[in-house]
Every structure is written in structure tokens, then in C-alpha cells.
Amino acid sequence: MQHILDAITAGDTSSEDFANLDLPESYRAAFVRKDEVDMFEGIPSKEKDPRKSLHVDQVDMPELGPGEALVAVMASAINYNTVWTSIFEPVSTFGFLERYGRQSELTKRHDLPYHVVGSDLAGVVLRTGPGVTKWKPGQEVVAHCLSVELEDPDGHDDTMLDPQQRIWGFETNFGGLADVALVKANQLMPKPDHLTWEEAASPGLVNCTAYRQLVSKNGGAMKQGDNVLIWGASGGLGGFATQYALNGGATPVCVVSNDEKAAIARSMGAELIINRSEEGYQFWKDEHTQDPREWKRFGSRIRELTGGEDIDIVFEHPGRETFGASVYVTRKGGTITTCASTSGYMHEYDNRYLWMNLKKIISSHFANYRESWEANRLVAKGKIHPTLSRSYALEDVGQASLDVHHNKHQGKVGVLCLAPEEGMGVRNAEMREEHLPAINRFRGV
Ligand SMILES: NC(=O)c1ccc[n+]([C@@H]2O[C@H](COP(=O)([O-])OP(=O)(O)OC[C@H]3O[C@@H](n4cnc5c(N)ncnc54)[C@H](OP(=O)(O)O)[C@@H]3O)[C@@H](O)[C@H]2O)c1
């Protein structure tokens, strides 16, 4: 792969030269193995260790199909979906690959005894398949993770509704935690040129998700003046939701679990912050019983901070542990938007608070191409910033995933793939200089 890295770092390699670069027959990738899906059986979730299940080794270069692109990956990032894949919860992702493999001759490629994971990348287009006209070898890109077929009518108003909608690198093979990735060309977007490779790779999945969930009319349709409750405000999704709330003239009420995370939320410009560990909320008395008094105590704290107002939109993802409280603290007519259930997917809430107060629960999942493009455009314009706190080498992808699994991280954790070191890939130094303090907020620099 050295000749590909040399072509990328040379700076003057033409598109034609990129198209003529020899592609190796195999490349380095992070993957889980089908013959190991039972390896953690009987072990509690938190003790399942991604360092044991994520392997880094050579895999075969996939065939390039129509409408697809092969991308040299300079950097990627850890998403929670890689944690789920690596601990084989709630289900093994090999089931997704088997189903996808049954769809056509071409998709059979995805059904392999290994699953190359990762749903973010920043890199350079190496090859494009038949029918691709918008992208060329040599272009510097990031990729969003929405894979669609669009052969059914259902997805044509909103591509997230395509019956064949999949998350690349989670429900498909050949993901971004590798030196090469296979994507559909309509996943590609321009790399923000003031960012390093690892910074550019890191917003992708969570930025697009937060944009749809909070800003888009398909999600919370946030407006100026809204009070937005953001769980995990310095985490992957929350770090972007907080920025969107502030940019859009809303007031984020940021929930975090320690002082360091509170300081990060403050550094983004948030003023109303709740340290959930310090306050010691116990929304569940035991595994089966919630404590509405704790919802009320949480609501009182919110009113104390907002000057008596309730929450217009709750940005939900912790799930079972917090959902009852989230429904309770939403104002009459307000909205709970949910995209996940990290602490458990069997939610319980008191429906009286929902229907009597005309509250809405809106489900949200990733983002369509248009929403992803808008989210990336805001990063490219320096209006939304990456939240990268640290980066690991691809060999250490297991440790990087463990950090996220154990909530030891801030914002996003990057992974260097072909990029030999951090700090490479900046094409607009002047713009970078202008935004450097914001770009570095999560690094504690
Ligand atoms: N559907 C989609 O398209 C989509 C997209 C992205 C992510 N997700 C899912 O969303 C979830 C979060 O992803 P992420 O990237 O933001 O993860 P993350 O980086 O780990 O951040 C989540 C934050 O939530 C807070 N949190 C975790 N457990 C909590 C609990 N029990 N109660 C209250 N707060 C809790 C933590 O912050 P504090 O400790 O500071 O409170 C944590 O930092 C994951 O389950 C992921 O799979 C779904």
C-alpha cells in the first residue's frame, strides 16, 4: 500500500495516475470472525472485550461493482455500532451479511466468514465502478454510512425509508476500519479541507445522525428558543447535538457524568449543565420498577436551570434507563426524539404523561443523503466542528472500541489507517487556524 500512500502524500498526483495505480490483492482491515460469535457467551456485557474479538489482518480486495467506489482510507473512527458488532450484541452482525448476500449475485460478496467493520472514513477515491460520473480517482472524500438500493418506490421521498436501507460497515461488509473500503458512490462527500484526515473522518455517522434527529423536519425540527435536553452531551452524538442546539438559537440542557465532560460542554458554549453522577439520579428503584419521584427531582433541576421552563425536545439515546424521565420532563406538546437504546431497548414510560400532554415520540435513524450532505457541509464551512479527543493506530482498534464500550472517552475516538501519523491532510491552513480552538476543544488542548 506504500505506493498508494506516496501518491496521496505527493500532492500532485493526477486523477489518471490514481486510476492507474496497481491495487493489491489484499489489504489490512479490522474484522470480527463468524466462528467466534459465541466467544463471549455467559459473560456480562461490560466484560465482553473488543480487544479479543476484533482482529487486524489482511483480507481480500473486494470486486468493484456498478455505482461503487474503492477508497484508500487514511483515517476512520469508532462508532458504537462497532462496539455492538465486537461484543455480538444484541445480535451477531453476520445475520445482516447473510441476508444481504441473498439479495443478488453482486451482494453475495458481503457474506463472508469475516466482517470488516467501521462506518466512517476520510480518504481518497482509488477506483469507481461502471455508471459513476460524479466522483473520480484522486478526489479527497469522506463517506456517510447510508447504503440504499432504491429499487422500491418507498425510499424515494426519504432514502432512509428504502426497504433495502443498510448501515455500511455494520449491515454490510468492507467497512472503514481498514486501509481500503468499498462504498456506494452516493455515500461520498467532499472532505472538509481545513481538517486533518482523522478529524475529517470523525464526525460522519454521529454528525449526520444528530442533524436528522434534532434539526431535520424528519426529526425534531428544532427551532430558535427551544429548550433541548441532550443526554451524553459530550459523547459521540451529544457533542454534535449540543453544537446544533447552540447554532440554531436553542438552549441545550446538557447531561453529562463528570466534571471533565461538563467542562467540554461549557467549552462548546453550553451554560445549562447537569452532572448526573453528582445529582445521583436513580430513575429505577430495581430492575423492574421506576421511581417517578426521581423523574420529578430531575424535572425540578431542569426548571431551576431554565428559569421555570420545561423541555421542548429531548435528544434521547440511552434508552431504558432514562426514557421514563425523558417523557416526563418534556413540555406539553413537546417531542422526544430517539435513535438508540444503549442501556436497554425495552423502554417503559408512563403513557398518561404522554397522551394527556400531547407529547410526541419521534424515531430517528441515521440520515438520508441530503441530510448527510447538509451535516458535512456545515463541517466544511467551519460552523460545526469535529469532536475528536484522541486517535489510535488501526492495530489498537480493540482498545479504541473498549474505551467507547466503557464510556472512558470524550466525543469521538479516531483511528489512523493509511495515515502514518496524526495531523496530515490539511489543505486550507488559514481556515484551520481560524477554527483551531474549536477543533481542539475535545482534546483538552
Ligand atoms: N440510530 C442511529 O442512527 C444511531 C447513530 C449513532 C449512534 N447510535 C446509538 O446511540 C447510542 C450513543 O451513541 P454515541 O456515539 O453517542 O455513544 P457515546 O459516544 O458512548 O456517547 C453516549 C453518551 O451517553 C451517555 N450515557 C451512556 N449511558 C447512559 C445512561 N445509562 N444514562 C444516561 N446517559 C448515558 C454517556 O455520557 P455521560 O456519561 O457523560 O452521561 C455517553 O458518553 C449508541 O447506542 C449508538 O449505537 C444510533
Side-chain angles (χ1 to χ4, degrees):
M1 300 295 296
Q2 187 59 45
H3 65 296
I4 292 176
L5 181 59
D6 290 344
I8 293 170
T9 48
D12 56 357
T13 314
S14 68
S15 178
E16 206 182 346
D17 289 343
F18 266 107
N20 288 327
L21 286 175
D22 282 337
L23 294 190
E25 285 178 3
S26 66
Y27 63 100
R28 201 174 53 132
F31 56 86
V32 290
R33 295 166 52 129
K34 199 175 197 169
D35 59 2
E36 290 186 345
V37 296
D38 296 329
M39 70 191 292
F40 295 134
E41 233 170 51
I43 298 177
S45 278
K46 280 290 169 219
E47 288 168 31
K48 296 179 182 174
D49 188 342
R51 291 174 303 184
K52 295 191 175 138
S53 53
L54 282 171
H55 305 275
V56 178
D57 210 335
Q58 295 289 309
V59 297
D60 291 342
M61 185 72 69
E63 185 195 332
L64 178 65
E68 295 179 339
L70 280 170
V71 182
V73 183
M74 294 299 277
S76 182
I78 301 297
N79 282 296
Y80 218 95
N81 65 5
T82 290
V83 175
W84 295 126
T85 301
S86 68
I87 62 172
F88 308 105
E89 282 193 23
V91 290
S92 145
T93 47
F94 285 99
F96 302 143
L97 304 186
E98 285 161 19
R99 266 200 298 287
Y100 193 26
R102 284 197 290 272
Q103 191 181 293
S104 73
E105 268 309 302
L106 198 65
T107 62
K108 254 188 207 160
R109 291 168 302 168
H110 291 261
D111 183 10
L112 293 168
Y114 56 85
H115 184 185
V116 178
V117 292
S119 301
D120 277 321
L121 71 72
V124 178
V125 177
L126 289 173
R127 294 272 198 283
T128 54
V132 177
T133 58
K134 296 264 176 216
W135 300 96
K136 291 189 174 29
Q139 282 181 307
E140 298 189 345
V141 293
V142 293
H144 70 75
C145 62
L146 172 63
S147 167
V148 284
E149 311 297 329
L150 291 178
E151 290 189 299
D152 293 271
D154 313 50
H156 282 260
D157 283 338
D158 173 9
T159 44
M160 282 305 297
L161 298 182
D162 184 29
Q164 299 300 333
Q165 177 271 321
R166 292 181 172 80
I167 298 298
W168 160 71
F170 180 63
E171 293 163 295
T172 79
N173 219 320
F174 318 119
L177 287 161
D179 287 343
V180 176
L182 179 76
V183 298
K184 303 221 183 229
N186 61 15
Q187 286 176 243
L188 298 175
M189 307 186 290
K191 171 188 169 286
D193 60 7
H194 65 299
L195 300 179
T196 64
W197 295 111
E198 63 280 6
E199 288 162 358
S202 66
L205 184 148
V206 284
N207 181 32
C208 302
T209 305
Y211 181 89
R212 180 179 174 111
Q213 190 177 344
L214 189 56
V215 179
S216 166
K217 65 178 175 9
N218 291 316
M222 184 193 78
K223 59 179 183 3
Q224 292 185 40
D226 280 350
N227 292 321
V228 182
L229 181 74
I230 301 172
W231 291 104
S234 80
L237 289 168
F240 288 94
T242 301
Q243 294 186 64
Y244 282 118
L246 289 163
N247 278 8
T251 303
V253 179
C254 294
V255 186
V256 293
S257 62
N258 62 40
D259 288 343
E260 210 181 341
K261 292 180 177 194
I264 287 178
R266 223 168 269 121
S267 78
M268 285 188 280
E271 290 171 356
L272 312 186
I273 296 167
I274 297 176
N275 181 334
R276 67 182 170 103
S277 312
E278 213 168 77
E279 303 280 348
Y281 298 115
Q282 297 287 341
F283 299 133
W284 290 81
K285 284 194 253 193
D286 58 48
E287 214 182 304
H288 307 288
T289 327
Q290 296 203 55
D291 186 350
R293 283 172 312 180
E294 284 294 90
W295 301 345
K296 287 181 188 162
R297 188 162 75 87
F298 183 51
S300 302
R301 180 78 187 111
I302 290 169
R303 284 186 178 169
E304 241 172 70
L305 292 173
T306 58
E309 293 180 345
D310 289 330
I311 294 297
D312 296 277
I313 305 175
V314 180
F315 187 84
E316 244 294 335
H317 50 89
R320 182 169 172 84
E321 209 163 304
T322 55
F323 207 82
S326 291
V327 169
Y328 179 78
V329 301
T330 303
R331 77 158 171 81
K332 198 165 180 144
T335 304
I336 303 100
T337 61
T338 174
C339 77
S341 295
T342 314
S343 64
Y345 48 79
M346 296 302 279
H347 295 185
E348 266 180 39
Y349 60 88
D350 186 333
N351 202 31
R352 291 169 299 176
Y353 290 115
L354 190 86
W355 101 69
M356 294 292 286
N357 295 296
L358 301 129
K359 304 179 187 186
K360 295 178 279 296
I361 296 173
I362 294 183
S363 59
S364 195
H365 185 37
F366 189 61
N368 61 36
Y369 194 4
R370 181 75 211 173
E371 290 159 341
S372 300
W373 190 280
E374 289 302 333
N376 184 59
R377 176 172 161 262
L378 288 164
V379 176
K381 281 173 163 280
K383 291 181 187 288
I384 290 287
H385 302 287
T387 60
L388 192 69
S389 56
R390 67 174 296 184
S391 295
Y392 284 90
L394 183 59
E395 273 71 21
D396 298 322
V397 67
Q399 181 62 49
S401 302
L402 186 68
D403 285 4
V404 175
H405 183 29
H406 286 175
N407 197 16
K408 294 244 168 71
H409 66 300
Q410 322 280 2
K412 292 298 298 178
V413 176
V415 175
L416 298 176
C417 299
L418 278 174
E421 59 192 44
E422 292 183 52
M424 297 169 67
V426 176
R427 309 296 178 219
N428 185 341
E430 201 181 324
M431 180 175 172
R432 179 179 182 74
E433 196 54 37
E434 189 190 330
H435 294 295
L436 205 52
I439 293 168
N440 279 335
R441 276 189 301 230
F442 279 66
R443 287 193 176 106
V445 177

